[in-house]
Amino acid sequence: MEQVFAPWRIEWIKRDKETPDVDDCVFCEFPERDDDRENRIVARSEHAFVLLNNYPYNPGHVMVIPNRHTGDYADLSDEELLDHARLKQRTFDALESALQPDGFNAGLNLGEGAGGSIGDHLHTHVVPRWQGDTNFMPVISDTTVIVEALAETYTHVHEAFADQEGATVPNSDRAVVFE
Ligand SMILES: [Zn+2]
């Protein structure tokens, strides 16, 4: 039987507010905070960052997010597009060495009609896949276990990014930085 795969149905954060704006956008807010580990930001480049999904489809489910607040893909400059794409390459590589998946699904949810949960700030989902895997969340529904799993995943993925060429690690509580 073919497996249905729809990570875009997962809401990253449950929110009541109907019209979030820049001041109210976690993808803008989290990078401004001091503690990247606490906020699950695992890597940063000049124009983008990598955030672990709080409601993962699978272990290692991350989002690669341009720094700039826009929901319009056409709005990204060449420089931003290239930087975002390079950070995706690094993300596949880091997840590959940290978690040894059999493959990946990766994609953008553009617009509310596509199921984007924070529709006005672009984010590319990257989900590691294993042969025969099932959705991680229903399998592990204990919140404490998920929080611990996220912390452990953060450590492994952080180490894998830190091993890459061109990586700078300010300290273990800060994201790995690529110039
Ligand atoms: Zn934003």
Side-chain angles (χ1 to χ4, degrees):
M1 199 177 81
E2 200 176 329
Q3 216 174 354
V4 176
F5 177 69
W8 42 84
R9 289 165 58 192
I10 295 169
E11 286 180 72
W12 184 76
I13 263 182
K14 311 283 178 200
R15 298 164 65 84
D16 296 328
K17 301 206 170 123
E18 299 201 347
T19 49
D21 57 21
V22 177
D23 294 334
D24 191 27
C25 173
V26 292
F27 294 160
C28 287
E29 191 193 329
F30 282 15
E32 299 293 322
R33 295 184 184 169
D34 282 338
D35 193 337
D36 287 341
R37 179 176 291 270
E38 180 74 26
N39 293 295
R40 316 269 190 234
I41 295 173
V42 69
R44 295 169 182 261
S45 58
E46 193 179 352
H47 297 291
F49 62 99
V50 182
L51 181 68
L52 257 63
N53 197 310
N54 262 356
Y55 295 89
Y57 180 91
N58 261 353
H61 179 176
V62 301
M63 291 169 292
V64 185
I65 307 171
N67 291 338
R68 192 152 60 84
H69 186 93
T70 178
D72 183 2
Y73 198 66
D75 192 39
L76 295 179
S77 69
D78 287 356
E79 200 182 328
E80 286 169 322
L81 283 168
L82 182 59
D83 184 77
H84 183 254
R86 287 228 164 104
L87 191 58
K88 273 190 286 186
Q89 281 185 323
R90 291 187 178 281
T91 300
F92 292 133
D93 190 45
L95 292 172
E96 181 86 49
S97 55
L99 302 168
Q100 290 94 43
D102 297 318
F104 293 100
N105 289 100
L108 285 163
N109 308 321
L110 297 174
E112 283 175 33
S117 54
I118 302 179
D120 57 355
H121 195 140
L122 292 167
H123 51 285
T124 300
H125 289 266
V126 176
V127 183
R129 301 301 306 270
W130 287 265
Q131 299 289 351
D133 62 12
T134 53
N135 189 331
F136 174 72
M137 289 295 272
V139 178
I140 302 174
S141 56
D142 182 319
T143 311
T144 314
V145 174
I146 291 169
V147 170
E148 283 171 4
L150 283 170
E152 195 178 319
T153 302
Y154 184 95
T155 299
H156 291 319
V157 176
H158 189 273
E159 283 170 3
F161 271 117
D163 281 345
Q164 291 183 9
E165 207 180 318
T168 307
V169 189
N171 66 58
S172 63
D173 287 331
R174 299 292 295 181
V176 176
V177 177
F178 297 98
E179 299 294 326

